[in-house]
Amino acid sequence: MSTLPPELAQSFAVAMGELGFCSTAWLYVRVVAQAGGDELVTVLREQLGRTFPVLDAVAADWLSGQRAPSVDAGAVFSACHGLERLLVVGLEADFLDALLPLLDGVEVALLSYSMVDVDWERVSANYAGRVQLVDLAAAQEWAGSRSGLLTFVYGHNGHLSHVRPSWLRFIGDDIRTQFRSILGWNVLRAPLYVYPRWLVETPLSDFSEVL
Amino acid sequence: MPQRPPFSVSALSIESLLETSSIESLLTPWVSNVEDRQFIARCLLRSGPAHHRGANFVLLSLLGEVLQRLPEPMPQVRVATPIEPCVPIPLRLPPHLAEHTSDRYFPLQMSLGPLQKLAGGDEHAVAVMVDCLTDGPAQHALANAVMVNVLARILDALTPSRS
């Protein structure tokens, strides 16, 4: 059976900080599939799946015949109706890229806080001024009755979901009543199969809407 | 002697009692936007300690029942006019962020009519009442405001007192 270079894990870890777990996983799965088809995607899943559970889920998606992430930006756009400002916690480049063109007139900020190493200036440069960076201390300045919070959900079972730890660092009982909408955007088609390393559990009831 | 459990009703039982849609419906005359109603209802029934959520649900539901039984039906959208003074309910933000912009208030206004009647023209007393009713956690301040609004409607519908 083929193997993949061990350095792949290191490069994946760098990329996932700046593109997001799911967006990076789709990028790697596509490239690996181009190089060696489903067989090599299976190898990728075997080698890195337990270390990167979102990659495991995306590889499983690929092997079941899916060829792209499920990105329903229209549903998120609808949930943002009436909002003037949106604070995003966590990063998923494929998903934000699809959403941002729809949010004409809505100010968008990204919480520059992550448990994973991120070069925030480089991330910011990808959005050419469309997205402001906000640190944890200033994030509450985005609160308001026309403000929304959005984070990415990595699968759920109808009760519990997996989110980035940064979400739990920010969300609290006080914050929940300071934003009109608290949106969870599910970026996976199924719950995670392996231990959710890098992620934490939170009840779906944390969100005013899960999309 | 065996200890009796201090709380015989679980938080889950309280949670199962809460029915958001009826409270959203109750809010309609004062909050015209559906997303705003969902926001207010979430603060009333999904934030704070479980017993407060349950108490909000019970009291607001009962007041909604009273509204239903009034001789004149409640108009579906009630717009504040100059003769019906209202105050906004501020979001519970840290003091340094509590700016006076429209976005820093909940999308619900509290009617001042009943408080003005209660205060008998004493504007300072009205201000004190407003402070008491709108201060504190969101689930309290918003429940207070909705209750005052409903009571205003009930008082309007009742025969004026003889005094």
Side-chain angles (χ1 to χ4, degrees):
Chain A
M1 196 179 199
S2 311
T3 57
L4 290 162
E7 294 80 11
L8 209 60
Q10 201 175 0
S11 73
F12 188 92
V14 172
M16 74 182 189
E18 294 176 23
L19 297 177
F21 298 122
C22 187
S23 305
T24 306
W26 274 104
L27 175 66
Y28 274 59
V29 165
R30 273 190 215 105
V31 170
V32 166
Q34 276 172 8
D38 284 5
E39 187 191 337
L40 205 55
V41 173
T42 304
V43 173
L44 177 71
R45 191 181 181 197
E46 290 286 316
Q47 272 187 231
L48 299 186
R50 290 194 61 210
T51 307
F52 303 108
V54 177
L55 174 62
D56 179 83
V58 168
D61 233 11
W62 180 276
L63 293 171
S64 70
Q66 301 292 344
R67 289 297 176 262
S70 172
V71 184
D72 188 358
V76 181
F77 169 66
S78 296
C80 291
H81 178 257
L83 294 182
E84 293 172 1
R85 308 203 295 176
L86 182 69
L87 174 58
V88 180
V89 180
L91 179 62
E92 282 298 344
D94 287 348
F95 294 79
L96 267 188
D97 287 353
L99 178 64
L100 286 175
L102 304 179
L103 293 180
D104 192 28
V106 179
E107 286 183 79
V108 181
L110 182 63
L111 184 71
S112 57
Y113 177 80
S114 174
M115 307 300 279
V116 179
D117 282 340
V118 179
D119 182 333
W120 289 106
E121 292 309 315
R122 210 159 53 195
V123 168
S124 176
N126 288 337
Y127 295 102
R130 177 68 181 91
V131 175
Q132 298 177 44
L133 292 180
V134 178
D135 65 22
L136 206 48
Q140 251 177 310
E141 290 174 15
W142 279 67
S145 58
R146 295 285 171 269
S147 296
L149 268 179
L150 169 72
T151 197
F152 302 99
V153 169
Y154 297 91
H156 64 79
N157 61 9
H159 301 284
L160 292 171
S161 62
H162 288 110
V163 294
R164 289 166 176 262
S166 55
W167 175 251
L168 296 193
R169 299 290 92 72
F170 182 59
I171 194 75
D173 280 349
D174 55 343
I175 299 293
R176 283 190 189 92
T177 59
Q178 293 168 1
F179 287 79
R180 192 203 75 181
S181 303
I182 302 179
L183 309 174
W185 190 354
N186 188 12
V187 298
L188 296 181
R189 291 187 172 93
L192 295 170
Y193 182 68
V194 295
Y195 179 77
R197 234 170 289 279
W198 312 96
L199 300 169
V200 288
E201 271 186 358
T202 198
L204 281 183
S205 57
D206 272 6
F207 301 102
S208 59
E209 208 165 344
V210 177
L211 305 141
Chain B
M1 187 175 162
Q3 286 275 317
R4 187 167 168 244
F7 305 107
S8 54
V9 174
S10 70
L12 202 60
S13 301
I14 295 172
E15 199 69 26
S16 66
L17 179 76
L18 309 178
E19 206 248 299
T20 310
S21 61
S22 64
I23 300 302
E24 286 176 19
S25 177
L26 173 70
L27 293 168
T28 305
W30 298 281
V31 186
S32 58
N33 181 281
V34 63
E35 289 96 355
D36 288 343
R37 287 199 295 275
Q38 289 167 348
F39 177 33
I40 301 285
R42 176 164 62 79
C43 293
L44 289 166
L45 303 181
R46 305 286 171 204
S47 68
H51 69 284
H52 284 301
R53 304 176 191 204
N56 280 349
F57 176 74
V58 171
L59 291 171
L60 293 173
S61 298
L62 287 172
L63 283 168
E65 185 65 28
V66 174
L67 276 185
Q68 292 293 320
R69 296 186 190 199
L70 290 178
E72 288 180 31
M74 185 77 183
Q76 271 305 290
V77 177
R78 195 185 205 205
V79 180
T81 65
I83 56 166
E84 187 186 27
C86 295
V87 288
I89 314 299
L91 292 181
R92 197 58 49 210
L93 288 164
H96 70 289
L97 295 177
E99 294 168 12
H100 296 285
T101 61
S102 65
D103 197 35
R104 295 289 159 91
Y105 293 92
F106 286 105
L108 171 74
Q109 301 236 329
M110 183 175 73
S111 172
L112 285 179
L115 310 184
Q116 288 169 331
K117 282 178 196 159
L118 192 59
D122 182 344
E123 285 304 312
H124 176 69
V126 172
V128 172
M129 290 180 201
V130 167
D131 189 83
C132 294
L133 290 164
T134 61
D135 198 12
Q139 81 268 17
H140 286 316
L142 290 170
N144 291 344
V146 178
M147 287 183 205
V148 169
N149 288 349
V150 174
L151 287 167
R153 170 69 185 120
I154 293 168
L155 288 168
D156 285 348
L158 294 175
T159 310
S161 65
R162 291 190 201 111
S163 56

